[in-house]
Amino acid sequence: MQDGAGAEGGMQLILKILADGEEQARRLGELADDPRSRPEHYRGAAARLQCTLGRAAAAAKAVEAASGSSRGTDRSDSPRSADESSGRTAAVEAAAAQERQPLCKRRKGMPRWTLKFRVPDANLEGTPDDGFSWRKYGQKDILGAKFPRGYYRCTYRTQQGCPATKQVQRSDADLCVFDVTYQGEHTCHQKQRQVAAHGGTQSPPSHHEQPQDPSMQLLMGFKDALKVETEAPRLHHDNHRDYYDPGPASAPAAPFSFPSVTTMPFHHAAGEAPDNPAAAAAFSPPGTSYFSAPPAPHHCPAAVGGSCYDVVFDYEAASAGTRVRGGAAESSELGEVVSRATGCDYSSLYNHAELDPHLPFAPFGGPYQ
DNA sequence: GCGATTTGACCGAC
DNA sequence: GTCGGTCAAATCGC
């Protein structure tokens, strides 16, 4: 078997993607270090990072699938041989296949991950702005669910063929929680990046110096951590949950229907500190990290006087139909980063983990199985 | 008038 | 056969 070569080629691809993610993390750090940066800049950068990490996760998953199919089960229907004849490994091909997965009713082969957004007020409508532009194309009542599920696709689907879609469903258990399941990856993010970059003309061309803000140093630490994990993936999760304390949330909801407006801006208690949950999304690539935040507003200064969102990452590997949960207990630094960035104290909350030793990605490395 | 949303129908996966 | 996801015509709002 040539799994070694295949995995190696696949890893190169993954590393390439993660290198992009590293660069995006660096840019996020620069944004955070720039007092002129606005929340939308953070959101855009965070969304791009999230997207990149999702791609890496998908590629990794494909590599694993490719190597696992011939390693463990001795399957004869591996797509390896044809690829080898053309100089491509099965792993690389599989990873590439992940990126060109055609649309279908149920996209089993596409990476799929869920963000749980907790809104501070159950009466609020709309879904949190994740940095991308979405267009709603359907809504459906789901069996066993109190609330209908909204279906959204990327606004640029027709123009750029972006396959990204998301489903938004309000939680039955908690009216403040929205489950947002993303599927497919934005191929339009290049343009989004440009838009964000142009929109953020205040962004400095370079801030390679050490961030003065400790929280930003932690952020950069996250970047480094990402790099380390990229180089030596060994610990992985598939379900991360990052809760951003919303502050008081109660109020029952009336008959629910998703509003026309597909995004709702984050609110900030004060200043332009990176307290938006989109940053959390960046911290939470497809994977499973659970950050629980207590509902009491005093635990989350950023929520006082304003509103913020809990963000939960819950990655599901669609191809295998399995879900693996993992915490990020080893990433206390991450919790600290998030705490600093959001103003919420996650350090004491960042402690649940159902780690899957087979997953090659660290908390920020994204989902993988 | 144009673009986005709504909603019933259709299709495919399970 | 059931249910989830998507399509597309109708409708709405700017």
Side-chain angles (χ1 to χ4, degrees):
Chain A
M1 299 296 182
Q2 300 186 16
D3 295 330
E8 186 175 349
M11 282 304 297
Q12 289 178 357
L13 177 62
I14 294 168
L15 289 172
K16 178 179 179 300
I17 296 172
L18 286 173
D20 292 339
E22 181 184 0
E23 171 63 18
Q24 289 166 0
R26 186 186 64 79
R27 288 176 175 273
L28 182 60
E30 291 176 356
L31 280 176
D33 192 36
D34 182 2
R36 295 168 298 183
S37 295
R38 296 181 176 182
E40 55 264 33
H41 302 155
Y42 295 123
R43 286 197 293 273
R48 288 190 293 275
L49 177 59
Q50 174 187 346
C51 182
T52 299
L53 291 172
R55 284 165 48 207
K61 181 158 61 75
V63 170
E64 172 67 13
S67 61
S69 62
S70 55
R71 174 187 59 210
T73 57
D74 192 28
R75 297 166 78 155
S76 59
D77 56 351
S78 169
R80 181 182 61 256
S81 56
D83 299 331
E84 286 174 348
S85 63
S86 61
R88 298 185 70 180
T89 66
V92 172
E93 176 65 23
Q98 284 282 335
E99 303 224 13
R100 59 168 185 268
Q101 187 77 23
L103 293 173
C104 62
K105 293 284 184 178
R106 296 182 187 181
R107 302 181 229 186
K108 296 192 301 181
M110 298 195 81
R112 180 186 175 100
W113 60 98
T114 299
L115 277 172
K116 289 183 182 291
F117 288 95
R118 173 180 286 277
V119 299
D121 188 340
N123 286 327
L124 288 177
E125 293 184 343
T127 58
D129 185 355
D130 55 12
F132 288 98
S133 181
W134 301 94
R135 177 172 179 172
K136 188 174 185 177
Y137 66 89
Q139 177 170 306
K140 196 172 183 64
D141 289 324
I142 300 301
L143 198 68
K146 293 179 182 177
F147 305 103
R149 177 179 298 168
Y151 296 90
Y152 301 82
R153 65 166 65 105
C154 179
T155 299
Y156 303 102
R157 188 200 193 199
T158 53
Q159 295 121 315
Q160 301 182 30
C162 181
T165 63
K166 74 172 180 179
Q167 301 170 4
V168 180
Q169 182 159 29
R170 179 166 249 173
S171 171
D172 292 343
D174 189 344
L175 298 179
C176 297
V177 173
F178 290 84
D179 290 333
V180 183
T181 300
Y182 295 87
Q183 197 163 18
E185 296 151 14
H186 283 276
T187 57
C188 63
H189 72 284
Q190 296 286 348
K191 179 175 182 179
Q192 292 251 349
R193 181 205 307 261
Q194 289 175 358
V195 169
H198 292 163
T201 53
Q202 308 97 319
S203 299
S206 64
H207 276 261
H208 297 293
E209 301 79 9
Q210 277 288 330
Q212 295 178 353
D213 185 336
S215 68
M216 289 307 104
Q217 292 177 0
L218 289 168
L219 195 59
M220 301 308 284
F222 151 56
K223 182 202 71 175
D224 293 336
L226 175 64
K227 181 178 180 179
V228 168
E229 294 298 346
T230 300
E231 293 171 344
R234 59 202 190 303
L235 190 51
H236 330 299
H237 333 258
D238 257 35
N239 283 337
H240 294 256
R241 292 196 174 176
D242 310 24
Y243 268 93
Y244 279 63
D245 189 281
S250 52
F256 176 79
S257 169
F258 290 104
S260 300
V261 177
T262 60
T263 60
M264 184 164 62
F266 296 112
H267 303 285
H268 302 275
E272 298 296 332
D275 58 350
N276 71 74
F283 295 149
S284 309
T288 310
S289 65
Y290 289 78
F291 291 80
S292 303
H298 64 271
H299 284 142
C300 180
V304 177
S307 61
C308 58
Y309 297 89
D310 290 354
V311 179
V312 178
F313 241 117
D314 188 1
Y315 179 80
E316 177 175 358
S319 61
T322 58
R323 301 177 70 165
V324 183
R325 291 187 172 186
E330 80 285 6
S331 185
S332 59
E333 185 179 356
L334 165 62
E336 194 171 353
V337 171
V338 174
S339 299
R340 297 300 292 263
T342 63
C344 300
D345 178 12
Y346 289 98
S347 58
S348 61
L349 305 165
Y350 192 54
N351 58 2
H352 26 304
E354 300 171 38
L355 299 180
D356 184 336
H358 303 294
L359 297 175
F361 277 95
F364 298 115
Y368 181 70
Q369 51 194 3

